[in-house]
Structures are given as C-alpha cells and as structure tokens.
Amino acid sequence: MQIQEIQNAIVEEFSMFDDWMQRYEYMIDLGKSLPLIDEQYKTDDNIIKGCQSKVWVHAELEGDKLIFTADSDAIITKGIIAILIRAFSNQKPADIIEADTAFIDEIGLKEHLSPTRANGLVSMIKQLKLYAVAYQTQLN
Amino acid sequence: MHINLFAMIDAQKIRKDFPILSREVNGKPLVYLDNAATSQTPQQVIDVIVDYYQNYNANIHRGVHALSQEATDKYEQARIKIQKHFNADKAHEIIFTSGTTHSINIVANGFSSFLKKGDEILVSAMEHHSNIVPWQMLCQRTGAVLKVIPMNQEGELLMDSYQELLTEKTKLVFCNHISNALGTINPIEEIIEEAHQVGAAVLIDGAQAAPHIVGDMQKLDVDFYTVSAHKVCGPTGVGMLYGKEEWLNKLPPYQGGGEMIAEVTFEKTTYADLPHKFEAGTPNICGGIAFGAAIDYMNAIGFDAIASYEHELLEYATEKLLQIEGLKIYGTAKEKTSVISFNIEGLHPYDIGSILDKLGVAVRTGHHCAQPIMDFYNIPGTVRASFCFYNTKEEVDILAEGVKRAKNMLL
C-alpha cells in the first residue's frame, strides 16, 4: 500500500471514535503492535532528541524499501511512533521524503504537532525523514 | 485560643480574584496544579499592570516630566514594599532582576573576581539547574571546586556531611530554601550560621519559598537571597536579588549600560550607587511595580493563613493519592510545602500528565530542571502537582480521580 492509502486507512479508523478517550485508547493499543527495535539498537545515538520520554528508532534497508523499528518508555509516545511507522515503514525512501503528514491533524492529534510540545512528534517525523534522506543517498 | 487558619481562607471567594481559574481546558474546568512553576495572577495585580500602561508608562530615573516622575515613584515604592516584606535593612539592598536565574548569575559572575584555584563552593544535591550551571561555569573560570551536599531517600540534606564538607577552603554555599522538585524545606538557618563560621558567603534561592514563607533577611543573616515574582502571583520576567550592602558594594557590575553609571568618558566609567549599579538599561518597570502589588495581595491574605491552608491541602492530597495502588511519592521530608512529586509503578510521568491534561488538570511532568535528583532516585522524572491557596479539596479529588483514570487507561 502507498503511504497515502495507509494514512487514509488510519484516518478512517480514528473517525469511528467520538471522544479523545477512545482515540487515546486506540492509540495505546496501536503502540502494543509497534514493530519493536532490537535491543542492540537501543543506544543513546538512536534516541530522538526533543521528547520528554525516550524514543528509539532504527532504520534498515530491505531491497529498495526502508523498514523502521522503534520503542519508547512512555505508552502514549509509543502509540504515536507506532502510527508514524505504520504509515512510513516498508516504503521507498523517496516516497517517505515526499510524504505529507496532515493525517496527524485529521486523527485528532493536532495538539501534538506543535513544535513546542514536549512529546516531540515533530522531531519523530523529522528523524524518520532524515533516515529516508540518508538511505536515498545510499541508493543513488 | 486555637484559631483554625484553614477556615480563614475562603478559597471560593479568593478564586474570584483570578480570572484565569474560571476558564476551561479541553472542555473541562481548569484545575491548575502547576503553581510551583508559575502562580496565577489576581485581578488586583492585572489592574496595576493595565493602569501602568494606560496612565503613566514612561522611562524612569532620567525624565524631568511628570509621567517619568510618577513611574519612578511607583517603581521605588515597590522596592520599599519588597524590602519591608523581606525585612531587608536597606531598600538599595533589593536589586530588581528578570528573576531568580538572573539574580544567581549576577552573584556567580561577581564572584569570579574573588575566587582562586583550590577554593571550594558547596551546592546542595537538590538544586534547580539554574543553581548548578552558573556555579559550574564559575568553577571553570576560576579553578574553584564544586562540592555537593548529599541528601537521604526522604529528600532531606545530610547535615553531618555538610559540616564535614565545610572547611576554610569553602568560600560560597548555595542552597534552595525549598526544593522545587520535592518540596523539602531546607534548614537554611543552620546552613547559613555554619557557613559563616568558616567565613563562607551564602546564597539562598528563595524562588520556591517566597509563595509560602516570608524570608526575614536580617534574622536569617543571609548574604544573598533570590525571588521570582511569577511564583508569588506577580508577572513573569521580574524578580529580586537581595544582597547585603557590603557584598553588593564589593561585587562588580554584571552588565554595562544605561542607569548603572555615575560618569562616563571614553577613558573611564564610574559606577552608580546601589541599587542602580546592577540595574543596567531600562528595567521591567511595570513588572517591578506589579511585583510590589503581588506582595501586597499575598500579605492581605496573610502568610500564616496561606501556610496553614496549603499544609492541610498537602495532607489531604497526600492521603488521597497514596490510596492509589502503585503510586509512590518522592520527597517525604518532615518539613515540606505543598508540592507532591509522584510516579505510578510501570508508567512514565509523561503518560500520566498527558491524560491529566485531557481532563483539564495542569501538572508538570519531567525532571523539573533538577536532573541530579532524578538520577538520585533513578527515575526519568515525576508528575508534580503543586498547590496554591486558591486550590481546593474538590480539585484534589479531581486530580486523584484523573490519576486513577490514567492508570486504568494505561495499564
């Protein structure tokens, strides 16, 4: 599936919920299905800066696609990174670089998009895209 | 006769003074429990700020015109109010600053010319970063050594270790009056007295104490004491440095500019007298005046009544929160103010804070600019609820229910 299709699917899933509590509960559930980072990659170098909780992300190229794994010591943050990885993992680096992130707003997590917000959603997106840029260079 | 001071605070009536307390957050009535970071501002202080800009906004000290004179008078009256409140001997021992961090930096910077290699500086284990970093910078500049007064699991300073650390090499001791992360009230009387016995100067960071306790400068015999207005119902960006006259005369100025000079030629500048020597440039005039108004406001409520009311809130909240299984409170000193730092086993403070925010409850999460304390307890941070005299037991109930709800959602 293309990034846009996955994002549309996520937006549709979230549209079923009436209030923030249900959305958060779903996000927490999504966190539980996050493809977990291998322990050996849980290093300080792989921590995303700008988050109040710790978030580790690892990227690996499989063929021409980038596979992300991650983890966090906070449950909500784990849910947020799980949503991002679902949208961006197993995609071509060039597509990740180009991808829009407006769906975050549409699933009612707009408040997390503020760059001053302590959870660092913006830093997470930036880091995923930086990996894509790095691997794109390698592919070229 | 026993007087019940808790009953002397009519929180419902007081809350009407604070317009912000009637707003909603995320569709829920705001429950503001982040008072240790910033207290809210009563209408009486907001009115003073509006009055300044509507009626006598002008630069001070230099103008011959009426507005400038009026602004100067009000600014200096505020200084005197603050002097009287903290019982400083002289008004010029009160320096207006941008807040506690600025105040500490004036002293740290000033001491670079007095310290030499091998001198020692003692700092408590429960300091805010703003009371650690300037001293580390000072040590780097001078070759002095920073030593730490340790604390126990309850969050109390080990006074025996302090006495052992104090030697003739000790030139400065820095400690907060009350810890921002744990709420511990430190035995500063003893700390000051013992430091003076070896000839060391003492700076007490009073940022967290000022909303709860009136520090008496002369009785404490403290050398420096710092306060931020935004913790005492005043505006942000203004605070004070109290310094004993003899120390302030000795310290070199921190910044050069207008107002702090006596005479300037291209060859030489002579500095102005206190307090202007440390108040370079146009100060936060409105902020200083509003700081004075905030002190008036708090005195009208009365610090004895405030302390008693907040203590009862603290006890009530401690009891309520401890009923939640898996909840641990950090900072259980015998002497503490209305701050509760806590975690729930298996949960990150950020998760709890995020859910509480959705419920309209404002708390602080994280390391509270006191990472060494978090390292001491080996935790990433805590959730911190800090109470003010306008908070109520009903709000404590909302907090406790919110924490339970967060726990149910997250675990």
Side-chain angles (χ1 to χ4, degrees), chain B residues 16-289:
Chain B
K16 293 198 175 81
D17 290 340
F18 294 82
I20 206 167
L21 296 179
S22 56
R23 69 160 281 183
E24 290 191 343
V25 168
N26 291 323
K28 304 274 188 331
L30 168 67
V31 174
Y32 188 78
L33 302 177
D34 193 19
N35 295 289
T38 290
S39 54
Q40 294 303 342
T41 318
Q43 191 61 49
Q44 289 86 334
V45 174
I46 297 170
D47 287 346
V48 167
I49 295 168
V50 172
D51 181 44
Y52 170 82
Y53 283 109
Q54 281 184 344
N55 295 308
Y56 61 96
N57 174 30
N59 213 321
I60 55 171
H61 299 303
R62 281 174 292 271
V64 292
H65 60 84
L67 290 192
S68 171
Q69 193 53 51
E70 218 173 300
T72 305
D73 287 348
K74 292 268 175 55
Y75 191 63
E76 291 308 319
Q77 281 162 16
R79 194 191 305 274
I80 291 166
K81 272 181 201 173
I82 293 163
Q83 174 214 347
K84 295 216 161 111
H85 177 75
F86 291 102
N87 194 29
D89 187 26
K90 301 174 182 80
H92 61 247
E93 291 176 322
I94 304 293
I95 312 293
F96 279 119
T97 64
S98 69
T100 291
T101 299
H102 179 200
S103 304
I104 294 171
N105 275 284
I106 290 176
V107 181
N109 181 69
F111 263 84
S112 5
S113 42
F114 305 147
L115 293 178
K116 57 179 189 315
K117 204 174 170 197
D119 283 344
E120 291 180 358
I121 299 176
L122 301 188
V123 61
S124 94
M126 59 179 89
E127 292 308 304
H128 188 280
H129 293 166
S130 68
N131 208 12
I132 300 174
V133 183
W135 311 122
Q136 284 174 337
M137 290 163 69
L138 175 62
C139 288
Q140 279 164 9
R141 283 197 299 268
T142 61
V145 180
L146 192 69
K147 294 202 163 176
V148 181
I149 312 162
M151 67 176 190
N152 62 19
Q153 282 295 323
E154 285 72 37
E156 295 166 320
L157 289 177
L158 299 176
M159 294 303 283
D160 289 350
S161 305
Y162 171 58
Q163 281 147 11
E164 282 164 23
L165 286 168
L166 272 178
T167 66
E168 280 173 7
K169 288 184 191 165
T170 314
K171 295 293 178 266
L172 285 163
V173 175
F174 306 106
C175 181
N176 50 34
H177 194 163
I178 291 176
S179 155
N180 73 311
L182 305 173
T184 310
I185 304 174
N186 286 312
I188 60 163
E189 293 83 357
E190 212 178 318
I191 288 170
I192 296 165
E193 202 186 325
E194 287 171 6
H196 284 168
Q197 280 169 13
V198 298
V202 183
L203 181 144
I204 299 292
D205 169 0
Q208 291 298 327
H212 311 288
I213 301 170
V214 183
D216 182 322
M217 299 301 104
Q218 293 186 74
K219 202 170 150 200
L220 286 170
D221 192 31
V222 65
D223 302 292
F224 302 100
Y225 194 90
T226 62
V227 172
S228 294
H230 68 272
K231 313 266 196 212
V232 288
C233 300
T236 55
V238 65
M240 73 148 198
L241 165 66
Y242 160 81
K244 276 185 188 162
E245 185 183 38
E246 49 171 307
W247 272 117
L248 293 177
N249 278 330
K250 265 193 253 176
L251 287 187
Y254 178 55
Q255 289 176 312
E259 199 66 52
M260 53 76 75
I261 50 90
E263 204 177 341
V264 176
T265 66
F266 280 108
E267 287 73 38
K268 189 176 180 255
T269 295
T270 48
Y271 303 126
D273 290 335
L274 294 173
H276 309 300
K277 179 176 142 186
F278 293 104
E279 296 182 358
T282 297
N284 184 349
I285 303 164
C286 175
I289 296 168

Side-chain angles (χ1 to χ4, degrees), chain A residues 20-25 28 32 52-54 73-77 80 108 111-112 117-119, chain B residues 26 28 346-352 354-355 357-359 365-367 380 405 408-411:
Chain A
W20 71 269
M21 238 185 113
Q22 291 173 334
R23 280 199 295 274
Y24 266 56
E25 274 166 352
I28 291 163
K32 290 172 187 159
Q52 212 180 72
S53 49
K54 283 186 181 155
D73 59 349
I75 294 163
I76 293 171
T77 317
I80 294 173
E111 79 240 28
H112 293 283
R117 193 86 188 177
N119 68 44
Chain B
N26 291 323
K28 304 274 188 331
L347 291 181
H348 195 283
Y350 166 77
D351 285 327
I352 303 167
S354 301
I355 303 287
D357 175 54
K358 283 284 177 192
L359 297 167
T365 63
H367 53 59
R405 202 162 156 188
N408 289 340
M409 274 180 80
L410 296 162
L411 280 180

Side-chain angles (χ1 to χ4, degrees), chain B residues 336-347:
Chain B
K336 72 175 273 191
T337 46
S338 48
V339 168
I340 301 183
S341 246
F342 66 91
N343 274 335
I344 289 188
E345 208 183 334
L347 291 181

